[in-house]
Amino acid sequence: EAGVAQSPRYKIIEKRQSVAFWCNPISGHATLYWYQQILGQGPKLLIQFQNNGVVDDSQLPKDRFSAERLKGVDSTLKIQPAKLEDSAVYLCASSPPYSWTQYFGPGTRLLVL
Amino acid sequence: AQSVTQLGSHVSVSEGALVLLRCNYSSSVPPYLFWYVQYPNQGLQLLLKYTSAATLVKGINGFEAEFKKSETSFHLTKPSAHMSDAAEYFCAAITSQGGSEKLVFGKGTKLTVNP
């Protein structure tokens, strides 16, 4: 069974530029999550989708971050414009129906200069 | 709201020694608890989970954890450390906030295994 796929793995941009990350969850997993992991900290939930609907985006900085999951499968997370403090690893995870267990992708490491 | 505290941001053990990584949660209800491991430049991998069944949970790679309600703890142990266990370990719990359930992570414990 294929795991959660993410791309790109690494991205370096300058502040005020925009960037997008892509995630393809495990087949059959209706719930998809985006996390931000700052160096030295645990992951922090940014947004949770159930199929193509948003369940929780309370910690998403909506002035600069956006996310979509149009067909209920893969998802994109965008930052526009990026700030220095956005430097982090962005993790995507998915979970099967009726389960609290989340399966994580390899992450995208973002460096904002 | 649930919170998770991991005692010790860094733990160092010798190869073959006991590994003990501490995790305490705050909640008045039986929680769903998890341990994840993160190797350098990789995502998080599930080690084990507690979901109100047996209090002693066995996971992958020889790890296990014991749920102790009286101590609100879910410490991770392994009898004999291996060099390949060097990684960062995260304890996490399901919490209910604002009408939705989310996974809340501790700050992580970096395990170093010395030869």
Side-chain angles (χ1 to χ4, degrees):
Chain A
E1 180 182 82
V4 176
Q6 289 188 249
S7 66
R9 291 296 311 277
Y10 305 92
K11 190 74 176 179
I12 300 175
I13 61 173
E14 295 189 350
K15 60 183 179 182
R16 290 187 289 273
Q17 286 186 322
S18 63
V19 64
F21 313 127
W22 174 82
C23 171
N24 193 16
I26 294 172
S27 177
H29 285 196
T31 310
L32 184 147
Y33 312 81
W34 283 102
Y35 288 87
Q36 181 191 59
Q37 185 179 19
I38 293 173
L39 186 65
Q41 299 181 21
K44 182 186 81 171
L45 180 68
L46 292 175
I47 188 167
Q48 175 184 341
F49 291 95
Q50 180 75 22
N51 296 308
N52 60 348
V54 175
V55 174
D56 185 349
D57 63 356
S58 58
Q59 297 191 89
L60 186 74
K62 299 180 186 65
D63 58 333
R64 297 185 299 106
F65 286 65
S66 64
E68 61 183 13
R69 192 184 185 199
L70 292 175
K71 297 182 179 180
V73 182
D74 57 350
S75 174
T76 55
L77 176 69
K78 297 179 181 178
I79 307 175
Q80 182 179 13
K83 293 185 175 181
L84 297 177
E85 58 261 37
D86 298 332
S87 295
V89 176
Y90 291 85
L91 295 164
C92 180
S94 67
S95 60
Y98 314 112
S99 173
W100 294 116
T101 303
Q102 296 182 23
Y103 299 87
F104 285 79
T108 296
R109 188 174 298 271
L110 174 67
L111 179 60
V112 182
L113 301 175
Chain B
Q2 185 74 275
S3 69
V4 176
T5 303
Q6 291 185 240
L7 297 176
S9 57
H10 290 83
V11 170
S12 183
V13 300
S14 299
E15 191 174 17
L18 171 72
V19 176
L20 171 60
L21 304 182
R22 300 177 187 274
C23 173
N24 288 87
Y25 65 93
S26 64
S27 176
S28 60
V29 298
Y32 290 95
L33 295 164
F34 304 81
W35 275 100
Y36 283 88
V37 60
Q38 187 175 33
Y39 298 101
N41 299 317
Q42 295 187 27
L44 278 71
Q45 180 182 5
L46 180 68
L47 273 178
L48 50 82
K49 60 183 177 182
Y50 169 77
T51 55
S52 302
T55 56
L56 182 62
V57 182
K58 295 186 183 299
I60 62 171
N61 302 338
F63 284 93
E64 62 182 35
E66 186 172 8
F67 172 70
K68 292 187 176 181
K69 185 176 180 180
S70 61
E71 299 177 7
T72 60
S73 68
F74 190 57
H75 301 331
L76 182 70
T77 60
K78 182 174 180 177
S80 176
H82 192 271
M83 296 296 290
S84 60
D85 295 327
E88 189 150 23
Y89 292 80
F90 292 93
C91 183
I94 293 293
T95 184
S96 182
Q97 289 181 1
S100 66
E101 283 72 36
K102 64 179 69 173
L103 193 60
V104 173
F105 287 85
K107 292 187 175 181
T109 298
K110 187 173 183 179
L111 176 66
T112 300
V113 181
N114 303 306

